[in-house]
């Protein structure tokens, strides 16, 4: 151990101590297992988290703010052991999914995904050291333990078959068998001295279909077969959701510029051994780690190495320097640390205080943090609404400041700017708490008060613009054409907390009439808020070949019904094509910036045929254009529409069927952009009642950057834009 002490981690000699217990939040019962992944993170299965929170086993929606109790064990060099109970929250979520990307249903034996990274409110010095990881391979001899972590639950397993997504494990005929409570636990390979995957499920003995009782044993039965996610698959799944700040930081190379500059700075600023010793002890206390000799201080190189391996040490050190006799020393430290990706912006104390403030914030405000982030830092590519709060804070903390700095002043970090925007959504007392916290961080970072005041003023202006705006209930319908006149549907509801899937069978095909009935059935099941009289928004998710599909004209023509039930007449119905945004990700920042200007942005009317390339040059950097009305014949129209959507125009309206001058374009010009969904619905109703006066067949493409869409599979695997 060096001068700066660390937590324990002698797990190579007792790997059963790797097992973290995940408990149920309601009764404290055991939900499953996990293991330490990083200084403040655990890895387990998503279905274990679902069990811990009393949710359906294969619930795909990520939990938001729920607390999950976990028990972490440690074993020290002197063989002393300890068990500590902590609270954890979701950081990253990879939902269980069937091989076709759909929902996993009860009775399925195998599935994909099913991973959850949890952020743990552990000691300041971090959790016990994470185990090494290695790839799984066939014939490896592995050990697994029950989530209780008891030594007697050891199960001996062998990798008998390995595939891209999972590995099959056979247990020893003697000894413990894998069963309930093992899910999410580490698979330890003694030969590799590393974790090579985690347990997911086991194949239970067969039961009688009529009685549900276990059948008498037969030599033909599958015995002690389990399956696991190999570490190489875990790594791929987690890479897809972003691993920043999850895995333990690597020690820098000896010639790393940040290490060299910090070593020089420490030697210059703390030349006296007594001053360096005093400062090092204060730093160790701030970071929750032990320290070595009270007489002999750490060498400048070891001091600098600690600053680049403990994620929050450099921030804590800058605070000590800011309070010293020469505050400019902190600027030198921060400048050198900015050359490394390891140091986080906040000190351990600042981060803990921020989490405390946010936990005491109303849930409806927390649900709007992604919206506030998009408004505060519109240049950032994406803040999807389904991202957990901890994951969002992770990303914000890693972002640089904005560009409004003058005369060499330090720029305001993205996190501080976002919290100013969050503050305007809060009651006055909570807003004051967040501002006092931000003032303290800004002072430590050396940010001028007028610079933070300018961002505060921006936030207040934004707050006034959104004060009366609320999230509308919506139903999302993915429509996939399978044959002439037949379509497959997947349906989600979103009451404001993100999409939750309500359809279970994605293989049934529907006619237009049957599809209307199915969508109306879901809409009838919703209970809108008592204070919101607006009908739910129906958002139809399509690929680019289906943008003109007349879903708004689908009608449930039931002979016994009094009214026809036309979808686009009863409900504001819009189309959304995530495929086009996904294929051109570089325009996602443009889309978000345009959406943030929806109420003040310009409208472009395309009234003559334009080559898509010419339209591209016209719109690519015209970020104040938020709405395009396409008033051209059907031939060139589709290319123009798709170009607009690919460039990130959030609102595009056109007439599906017209050949001459469009009455629709003239009529919609008088409707405010934000009111277009309801304006188009009114037009459709008038068109049904009086076709000569309202001859148009309107289509409204509507890409709301403040609301997320689920993971889609259209013509190829899609992800939410």
């Amino acid at each position: 151990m060096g001068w700066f002490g660390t937590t324990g981690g002698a797990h190579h000699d007792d790997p059963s101590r790797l097992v973290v217990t995940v408990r149920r939040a309601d009764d404290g019962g055991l939900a499953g297992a996990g293991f330490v992944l990083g200084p403040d993170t655990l890895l387990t299965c998503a279905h274990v988290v679902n069990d811990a929170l009393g949710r359906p086993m294969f619930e795909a929606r990520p939990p938001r703010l729920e607390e999950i109790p976990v028990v972490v064990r440690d074993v020290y060099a002197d063989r002393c052991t300890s068990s500590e109970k902590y609270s954890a929250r979701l950081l990253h979520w990879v939902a269980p999914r069937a091989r076709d990307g759909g929902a996993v249903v009860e009775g399925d034996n195998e599935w994909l995904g099913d991973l959850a990274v949890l952020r743990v409110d552990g000691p300041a010095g971090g959790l016990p050291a994470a185990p090494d990881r290695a790839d799984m391979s066939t014939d490896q001899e592995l050990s697994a333990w029950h989530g209780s972590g008891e030594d007697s639950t050891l199960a001996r397993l062998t990798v008998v078959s390995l595939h891209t997504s999972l590995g099959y494990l056979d247990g020893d005929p003697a000894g413990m068998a894998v069963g309930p409570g093992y899910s999410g636990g580490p698979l330890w390979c003694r030969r590799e001295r590393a974790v090579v995957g985690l347990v997911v499920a086991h194949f239970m003995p067969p039961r009688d279909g009529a009685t549900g009782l276990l059948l008498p044993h037969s030599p033909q039965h599958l015995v002690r077969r389990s399956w696991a996610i190999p570490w190489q698959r875990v790594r791929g799944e987690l890479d897809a959701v972003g691993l920043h700040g999850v895995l333990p930081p690597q020690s820098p190379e000896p010639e790393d510029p940040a290490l060299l500059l910090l070593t020089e700075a420490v030697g210059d600023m703390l030349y006296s051994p007594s001053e360096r010793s005093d400062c090092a002890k204060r730093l160790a206390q701030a970071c929750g780690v032990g320290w070595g000799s009270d007489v002999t201080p750490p060498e400048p190189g070891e001091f600098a190495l600690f600053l680049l391996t403990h994620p929050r040490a450099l921030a804590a050190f800058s605070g000590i320097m800011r309070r010293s006799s020469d505050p400019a020393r902190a600027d030198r430290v921060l400048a050198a640390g900015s050359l490394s990706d390891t140091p986080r912006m906040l000190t351990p104390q600042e981060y803990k205080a921020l989490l405390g403030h946010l936990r005491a914030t109303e849930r409806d405000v927390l649900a709007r943090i992604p919206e506030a982030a998009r408004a505060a830092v519109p240049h950032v590519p994406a803040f999807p609404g389904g991202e957990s709060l901890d994951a969002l804070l992770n990303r914000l903390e890693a972002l640089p400041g904005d560009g409004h700095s003058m005369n060499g002043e330090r720029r305001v970090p993205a996190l501080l700017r976002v919290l100013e925007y969050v503050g305007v959504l809060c009651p006055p007392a909570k807003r004051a708490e967040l501002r006092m916290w931000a003032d303290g961080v800004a002072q430590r970072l050396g940010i001028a008060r007028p610079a933070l005041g300018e961002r505060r003023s921006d936030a207040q202006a934004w707050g006034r613009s959104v004060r009366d705006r609320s999230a509308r209930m919506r139903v999302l319908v993915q429509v996939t054409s399978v044959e002439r006149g037949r379509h497959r549907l997947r349906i989600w509801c979103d009451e404001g907390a993100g999409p939750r899937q309500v359809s279970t069978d994605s293989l049934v095909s529907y006619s237009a009439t049957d599809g209307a009935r199915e969508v109306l059935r879901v809409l009838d099941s919703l209970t809108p808020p008592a204070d919101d009289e607006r009908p739910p928004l129906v958002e139809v998710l399509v690929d680019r070949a289906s943008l003109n599909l007349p879903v708004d004209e689908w009608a449930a023509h039931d002979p016994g019904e009094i009214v026809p039930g036309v979808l686009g007449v009863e409900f504001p119905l819009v189309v959304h094509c995530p495929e086009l945004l996904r294929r051109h990700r570089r325009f996602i920042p443009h889309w978000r910036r345009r959406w943030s200007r929806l109420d003040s942005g310009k409208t472009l009317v395309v009234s003559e045929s334009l080559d898509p390339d010419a339209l591209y040059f016209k719109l690519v950097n015209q970020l104040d254009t938020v709405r395009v009305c396409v008033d051209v014949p059907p031939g060139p129209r589709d290319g123009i529409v798709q170009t607009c959507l690919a460039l990130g125009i959030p609102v595009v309206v056109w007439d599906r069927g017209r050949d001459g001058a469009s009455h629709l374009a003239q009529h919609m010009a008088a409707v405010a952009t934000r009111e277009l969904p309801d304006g188009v619905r009114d037009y459709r109703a008038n068109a049904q009642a009086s076709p000569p006066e309202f001859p148009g067949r309107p289509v409204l493409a509507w890409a709301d950057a403040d609301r997320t869409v689920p993971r889609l599979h259209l013509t190829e695997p899609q992800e939410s834009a």
Side-chain angles (χ1 to χ4, degrees):
M1 183 180 75
W3 195 93
F4 290 96
T6 61
T7 55
H11 48 66
H12 289 93
D13 296 324
D14 188 2
S16 68
R17 302 296 91 188
L18 293 172
V19 178
V20 172
T21 302
V22 181
R23 297 201 174 278
R24 297 192 183 96
D26 55 357
D27 60 8
L30 188 135
F35 63 94
V36 174
L37 187 63
D40 60 352
T41 53
L42 305 176
L43 180 65
T44 185
C45 287
H47 80 260
V48 170
V49 173
N50 283 333
D51 186 18
L53 297 176
R55 305 184 338 150
M57 178 176 174
F58 298 117
E59 173 64 66
R61 289 182 302 161
R64 293 299 179 88
L65 305 169
E66 292 85 348
E67 302 280 335
I68 304 163
V70 299
V71 178
V72 181
R73 297 168 185 80
D74 199 4
V75 56
Y76 300 91
D78 59 3
R79 307 304 300 151
C80 293
T81 61
S82 67
S83 295
E84 298 293 339
K85 184 176 179 180
Y86 302 113
S87 290
R89 297 172 314 281
L90 179 71
L91 179 59
H92 290 300
W93 181 259
V94 182
R97 64 184 187 276
R99 290 188 179 276
D100 64 356
V104 183
V105 298
E106 292 291 342
D108 285 355
N109 287 325
E110 299 172 356
W111 52 88
L112 304 178
D114 199 9
L115 294 170
V117 179
L118 304 182
R119 163 72 48 75
V120 181
D121 293 336
L127 297 172
D132 294 333
R133 276 88 56 182
D135 288 352
M136 182 180 287
S137 59
T138 54
D139 298 326
Q140 282 177 335
E141 301 289 335
L142 308 179
S143 300
W145 292 266
H146 186 260
S148 65
E150 295 180 2
D151 295 338
S152 61
T153 63
L154 169 67
R156 297 289 188 188
L157 305 165
T158 302
V159 182
V160 294
S161 180
L162 184 63
H163 303 269
T164 303
S165 304
L166 50 85
Y168 293 105
L169 315 173
D170 280 356
D172 280 357
M176 191 67 71
V178 170
Y182 282 76
S183 293
L187 287 163
W188 175 259
C189 179
R190 185 174 297 275
R191 184 183 67 198
E192 300 285 350
R193 298 178 69 78
V195 170
V196 298
L198 70 163
V199 181
V200 179
H202 56 283
F203 294 92
M204 292 297 292
R207 295 179 179 271
D208 185 277
T211 66
L213 299 176
L214 290 175
L215 294 173
H217 176 70
S218 165
Q220 293 297 104
H221 289 169
L222 186 65
V223 178
R224 297 200 171 183
R225 168 67 56 83
S226 306
W227 64 270
I229 305 178
W231 179 252
Q232 52 266 44
R233 178 68 179 191
V234 172
R235 189 170 56 239
E237 293 274 17
L238 294 183
D239 282 345
V241 296
L243 271 173
H244 182 82
V246 174
L247 296 176
Q250 299 293 321
S251 294
E253 296 294 331
E255 300 302 316
D256 182 277
L259 180 62
L260 295 175
L261 289 174
L262 283 171
T263 300
E264 181 182 6
V266 170
D268 290 345
M269 297 186 301
L270 304 175
Y271 179 78
S272 164
S274 61
E275 185 181 11
R276 194 186 323 142
S277 179
D278 177 64
C279 182
K281 284 189 284 188
R282 293 167 63 191
L283 177 61
Q285 286 178 323
C287 295
V289 302
W291 61 84
S293 171
D294 287 327
V295 178
T296 305
E299 292 296 322
E302 184 180 3
F303 199 120
L305 186 64
F306 179 67
L307 296 177
L308 294 180
T309 51
H310 188 294
R312 302 199 180 277
L314 188 128
F317 183 49
S318 73
I320 296 172
M321 291 294 98
R322 187 70 69 187
R323 295 187 296 270
S324 69
S325 58
D326 184 4
R329 292 174 169 183
D331 296 325
R332 182 177 179 183
V333 169
L334 292 169
S338 67
L339 300 177
S340 170
D341 292 332
T342 297
R344 311 307 298 274
M345 188 186 89
L346 302 179
T347 69
Q349 293 73 29
E350 290 167 348
Y351 184 71
K352 183 178 181 179
L354 175 60
L355 289 180
H357 291 317
L358 293 178
R359 283 189 194 171
T361 300
E362 296 179 359
R363 282 180 174 253
D364 60 342
V365 173
L366 295 179
R368 298 184 67 182
I369 289 182
E371 175 188 355
R374 288 190 284 268
V377 282
H379 60 282
V380 176
F383 287 112
E387 195 169 37
S388 72
L389 176 60
D390 283 76
L392 181 57
L393 292 179
N394 253 23
R395 291 214 293 133
L396 288 172
E397 214 183 338
L399 292 175
D402 59 31
H404 302 133
S405 64
M406 300 178 64
N407 301 323
E409 295 177 347
R410 289 186 63 82
R411 299 186 299 172
V412 179
L415 177 61
L416 294 190
R417 180 162 185 168
V418 169
L419 289 173
E420 293 295 339
Y421 279 63
V422 172
V424 301
L425 302 175
C426 298
K430 176 57 64 177
R431 184 184 315 140
E433 286 182 1
L434 289 174
R435 286 181 174 177
M436 290 178 63
W437 178 89
D439 287 342
V441 175
Q443 183 178 11
R444 176 182 62 79
L445 294 174
I447 296 169
R449 290 186 64 85
L452 186 60
E454 182 184 350
R455 310 312 180 274
R456 195 162 284 171
S457 177
D458 291 342
Q460 290 171 331
W462 174 78
R464 288 191 293 270
S465 72
V466 302
R467 192 160 292 139
D468 298 325
R469 198 184 307 161
S470 60
R472 186 175 198 163
M473 184 179 288
R474 62 178 182 156
V475 170
L476 300 98
V477 185
Q478 181 188 356
V479 181
T480 307
S481 299
V482 291
E483 55 186 88
R484 186 174 181 83
R486 306 289 297 184
H487 314 275
R488 290 199 180 102
L489 306 181
R490 292 175 69 192
I491 305 177
W492 297 261
C493 292
D494 183 1
E495 292 91 345
R500 59 178 178 86
Q501 188 166 346
V502 294
S503 61
T504 57
D505 193 344
S506 60
L507 299 180
V508 175
S509 65
Y510 297 85
S511 65
T513 298
D514 291 337
R517 290 195 193 103
E518 178 66 9
V519 175
L520 288 173
R521 180 190 66 79
V522 173
L523 287 161
D524 284 340
S525 70
L526 299 178
T527 303
D531 58 349
D532 191 349
E533 298 179 352
R534 299 172 299 177
L537 177 74
V538 178
E539 188 171 334
V540 180
L541 308 171
V542 295
D543 59 21
R544 59 179 176 165
S546 301
L547 282 165
N548 288 300
L549 194 67
V551 180
D552 54 283
E553 298 175 3
W554 287 6
H557 288 295
D558 285 331
E561 292 293 335
I562 299 174
V563 294
V566 182
L567 292 182
V569 170
E570 294 190 29
F571 300 92
L573 186 148
V574 300
V575 298
H576 183 27
C577 183
E579 173 192 0
L580 288 170
L581 280 169
R582 187 195 69 84
R583 288 169 64 95
H584 304 85
R585 287 186 178 275
R586 62 188 181 278
F587 296 118
I588 288 179
H590 293 194
W591 165 52
R592 297 197 181 283
R593 184 171 298 185
R594 287 187 170 105
W595 181 263
S596 70
R597 301 173 178 176
L598 197 66
D599 296 307
S600 59
K602 298 178 181 178
T603 298
L604 173 68
V605 178
V606 180
S607 56
E608 59 183 25
S609 297
L610 272 181
D611 181 85
D613 287 350
L615 184 63
Y616 161 80
F617 290 116
K618 185 178 184 66
L619 285 177
V620 64
N621 292 314
Q622 210 169 19
L623 300 185
D624 57 348
T625 298
V626 302
R627 166 179 167 182
V628 174
C629 179
V630 183
D631 187 19
V632 299
R637 181 191 62 209
D638 290 350
I640 292 173
V641 167
Q642 292 185 28
T643 299
C644 291
L645 297 178
L647 289 172
I649 303 295
V651 179
V652 183
V653 62
W654 68 95
D655 190 333
R656 181 189 296 119
R658 70 75 140 183
D659 288 320
S662 175
H663 171 268
L664 177 69
Q666 301 172 18
H667 187 87
M668 288 298 141
V671 180
T673 301
R674 196 173 292 279
E675 305 302 321
L676 273 177
D678 292 296
V680 168
R681 178 185 59 143
D682 291 342
Y683 188 100
R684 288 168 179 151
N686 289 325
Q688 294 286 338
S690 181
E693 295 181 44
F694 294 87
R697 298 174 65 197
V699 183
L700 174 61
W702 185 263
D704 187 338
D706 291 331
R707 310 290 292 273
T708 188
V709 298
R711 182 187 294 259
L712 302 180
H713 292 267
L714 298 169
T715 53
E716 58 182 354
Q718 311 284 328
E719 290 189 8
S720 166

